[in-house]
């Protein structure tokens, strides 16, 4: 239980909904299918497991005071919090939502949008302004990164977009120390053509230029563009620098996507001739920040403003469209933060310390959770001070919004306990 202040007393339970519910017995350390993340029950003050309703002596409606208990294992104390029915002020549950990164387009956006204005012998500039989270980083001056390109006497959208992409990628090289990153890719409105030959897969490596082909390709040449990862105009394209063999292609700009293998059905070629008259767009995506709950618990998304210079005067106005980043609801990083802090201080002067303090962690990397929250308020004196005290007990249910396993049972029992005081939570949270 975290004692950050008397107005923020937080108890966090990570609920593995893949576990079956424990519905009978008395909870002692190791008495259930415990461990990480362990069984969680609603119990009375004698640690007897309670069920929905008012019957059989263990019906939860017979009790004004309950415990939420987690069995952490045979040699570990129970994790528990006591809740008084009269103190409960809120009872809510919401479906978790996945996080997403910011995506900006200059020109064609994969489905629509204006083309990039074509000007010969023109100096183009893309300026990215980082928008830092002041809570995480404090007040600091703006941080800028640039992409620049001088067009040729006979410029095309393909040439300009590729030149600006190369410049932006260079300025965000992965070996440089920077607390924000983006990846820059291209999209094209040309439908493309299927790959011919005997290729089955295309192996790509993030920040690598070589594409390794399992099989052979017969219709790709230097100067063409290849679409990697899909057959719609929303899939990204890369310019081919060289075809070093029927089984190897070298890209002009290092591949920016995730390392892996792409099936030939999701690869297309756009010939240099077709590309010379096509509309192109520059796609700039915020890159997920590194996160370590033990060392640095400031979860944040990369947010930036995109400015363009040198794209006018022209008969065409180059559009910049932006989809903002979204932190998500009950994603791993947020849940891990709450879980870590909920353990409170353990004798150290600072929770943030060197070396970092490692704690029990039930939150699983990459897992989506769904929070069920019981807010409480009382006016009893506490260790923090006399007067009003308030806090939350949070049950983070793993998996989909349709709660299963022990999570479903916990909600059923809590709904019963709070009958007449709060609206019951549904089996599928929204």
């Amino acid at each position: 239980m975290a004692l950050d202040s008397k107005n923020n007393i937080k108890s966090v339970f990570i609920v593995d909904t893949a576990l079956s519910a424990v519905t009978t017995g008395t909870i002692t350390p190791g008495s259930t299918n415990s461990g990480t993340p362990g069984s969680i029950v609603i119990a009375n003050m004698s640690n007897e497991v309670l069920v929905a309703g008012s019957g059989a002596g263990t019906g939860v409606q017979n009790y004004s005071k309950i415990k939420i208990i987690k069995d952490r294992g045979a040699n570990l104390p129970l994790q528990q919090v006591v809740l008084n029915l009269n103190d409960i002020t809120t009872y809510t549950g919401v479906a978790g939502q996945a996080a997403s990164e910011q995506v900006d387009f200059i020109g064609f956006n994969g489905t629509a949008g204006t083309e990039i204005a074509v000007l010969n012998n023109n100096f183009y500039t893309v300026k990215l302004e980082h928008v830092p989270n002041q809570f995480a980083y404090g007040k600091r001056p703006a941080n800028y990164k640039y992409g620049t390109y001088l067009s040729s006497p006979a410029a095309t959208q393909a040439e300009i977009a590729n030149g600006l992409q190369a410049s932006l990628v260079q300025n965000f090289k992965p070996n440089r120390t920077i607390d924000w990153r983006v990846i820059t890719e291209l999209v094209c409105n040309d439908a493309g053509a299927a790959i011919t030959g005997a290729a089955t897969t295309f192996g790509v490596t993030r920040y690598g230029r070589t594409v390794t082909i399992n099989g052979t390709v017969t219709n790709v040449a230097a100067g063409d563009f290849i679409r990697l990862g899909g057959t719609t105009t929303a899939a990204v394209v890369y310019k081919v620098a060289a075809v070093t063999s029927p089984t190897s292609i070298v890209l002009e700009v290092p591949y920016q996507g995730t390392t892996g293998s792409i099936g030939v059905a999701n690869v297309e070629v756009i010939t240099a001739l077709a590309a010379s008259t096509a509309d192109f767009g520059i796609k700039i995506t915020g890159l997920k920040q590194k996160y370590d709950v033990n060392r640095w618990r400031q979860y944040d998304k990369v947010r930036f403003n995109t400015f363009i210079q040198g794209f006018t005067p022209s008969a065409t106005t180059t559009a910049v469209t932006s989809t903002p980043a979204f932190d998500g609801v009950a994603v791993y990083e947020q849940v891990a933060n709450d879980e870590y802090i909920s353990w409170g201080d353990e004798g150290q002067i600072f929770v943030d310390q060197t070396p970092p303090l490692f704690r029990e962690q039930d939150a699983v990397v990459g897992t989506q959770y769904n929070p069920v929250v019981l807010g409480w308020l009382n006016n009893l004196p506490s260790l923090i001070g006399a007067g009003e005290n308030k806090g939350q007990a949070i049950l983070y249910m793993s998996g989909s919004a349709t709660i299963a396993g022990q999570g479903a049972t916990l909600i059923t029992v809590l709904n019963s306990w709070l009958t007449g005081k709060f609206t019951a939570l549904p089996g599928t949270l929204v």
Side-chain angles (χ1 to χ4, degrees):
M1 180 173 66
L3 297 175
D4 294 341
S5 76
K6 66 178 183 178
N7 291 321
N8 185 27
I9 303 173
K10 187 179 293 184
S11 303
V12 173
F13 296 84
I14 310 301
V15 182
D16 182 358
T17 59
L19 291 179
S20 298
V22 175
T23 57
T24 61
T26 299
I27 300 301
T28 58
S31 63
T32 69
N33 51 329
S34 58
T36 301
S39 294
I40 300 174
V41 301
I42 307 298
N44 60 21
M45 294 301 102
S46 299
N47 290 2
E48 295 175 299
V49 178
L50 301 180
V51 297
S54 58
T58 57
V60 70
Q61 292 178 358
N62 296 322
Y63 299 89
S64 62
K65 188 180 289 186
I66 64 168
K67 291 181 181 181
I68 301 174
I69 300 177
K70 174 190 166 187
D71 185 352
R72 299 170 61 217
N75 299 312
L76 295 170
L78 299 172
Q79 179 189 352
Q80 54 190 312
V81 63
V82 176
L83 298 174
N84 191 314
L85 184 62
N86 293 330
D87 292 342
I88 304 301
T89 57
T90 58
Y91 176 49
T92 59
V94 299
Q97 297 181 49
S100 58
E101 310 301 331
Q102 179 173 337
V103 181
D104 283 15
F105 287 92
I106 301 171
F108 179 68
N109 67 5
T111 55
T114 60
E115 68 248 33
I116 294 173
V118 176
L119 299 166
N120 298 330
N121 301 310
N122 183 65
F123 191 73
Y124 290 84
T125 301
V126 175
K127 180 169 71 172
L128 303 181
E129 177 189 45
H130 183 216
V131 182
N133 181 329
Q134 289 193 359
F135 178 77
Y137 300 109
K139 293 183 178 179
R140 58 167 58 178
N143 185 294
Y144 297 96
K145 285 288 183 179
Y146 294 86
T148 59
Y149 182 71
L150 178 62
S151 63
S152 71
T156 65
Q157 287 191 58
E159 173 206 326
I160 297 163
N162 190 68
L164 287 169
Q165 179 196 21
S167 179
L168 284 166
V169 167
Q170 175 66 25
N171 282 333
F172 281 96
K173 287 181 67 173
N175 61 339
R176 292 184 175 176
T177 301
I178 187 172
D179 57 10
W180 67 288
R181 295 188 185 282
V182 301
I183 58 174
T184 305
E185 300 167 300
L186 302 181
V187 289
C188 176
N189 75 340
D190 188 273
I195 296 294
T196 60
T200 57
T201 60
F202 289 66
V204 291
T205 303
R206 172 167 277 181
Y207 307 132
R209 295 176 62 210
T210 299
V211 179
T212 303
I213 303 166
N214 183 6
T216 58
V217 169
T218 58
N219 65 333
V220 177
D224 293 344
F225 285 79
I226 55 172
R227 180 173 281 129
L228 296 167
T231 57
T232 70
T233 55
V236 298
V237 301
Y238 286 84
K239 189 174 182 180
V240 176
V243 179
T244 54
S245 76
T247 61
S248 181
I249 292 172
V250 177
L251 307 176
E252 279 201 4
V253 177
Y255 182 72
Q256 301 290 289
T258 303
T259 298
S261 182
I262 302 171
V264 68
N266 287 311
V267 181
E268 292 181 327
V269 60
I270 301 170
T271 66
L273 180 61
S276 67
T277 57
D279 289 344
F280 275 76
I282 301 170
K283 179 183 180 182
I284 304 171
T285 306
L287 195 59
K288 184 176 180 178
Q289 304 248 53
K290 292 181 179 180
Y291 177 85
D292 184 334
V293 67
N294 294 298
R295 293 176 171 84
W296 180 244
R297 287 175 296 285
Q298 301 297 355
Y299 168 59
D300 191 28
K301 288 292 181 185
V302 170
R303 292 176 168 87
F304 55 94
N305 296 318
T306 300
F307 303 99
I308 57 175
Q309 298 170 356
F311 286 70
T312 56
S314 170
T316 300
T317 300
T318 302
V320 176
T321 55
S322 179
T323 301
F326 176 56
D327 290 334
V329 175
V331 297
Y332 160 73
E333 292 85 353
Q334 295 164 334
V335 174
N337 272 356
D338 271 356
E339 182 186 20
Y340 188 100
I341 296 300
S342 74
W343 287 108
D345 296 333
E346 297 178 355
Q348 74 276 14
I349 298 175
F350 301 106
V351 176
D352 291 320
Q353 65 179 40
T354 302
L357 181 66
F358 290 85
R359 290 171 160 172
E360 178 179 316
Q361 296 168 23
D362 288 348
V364 178
V365 175
T367 299
Q368 177 68 63
Y369 293 91
N370 307 277
V372 172
V373 182
L374 295 99
W376 57 265
L377 171 69
N378 67 46
N379 292 309
L380 296 175
S382 73
L383 294 174
I384 305 300
E388 184 179 275
N389 307 281
K390 61 183 180 181
Q392 297 174 322
I394 306 176
L395 298 165
Y396 281 116
M397 310 284 186
S398 66
S400 74
T402 300
I403 308 303
Q406 64 174 347
T409 299
L410 290 169
I411 289 176
T412 298
V413 176
L414 289 172
N415 284 345
S416 179
W417 187 54
L418 296 167
T419 297
K421 189 167 184 176
F422 297 99
T423 301
L425 296 182
T428 299
L429 301 177
V430 294

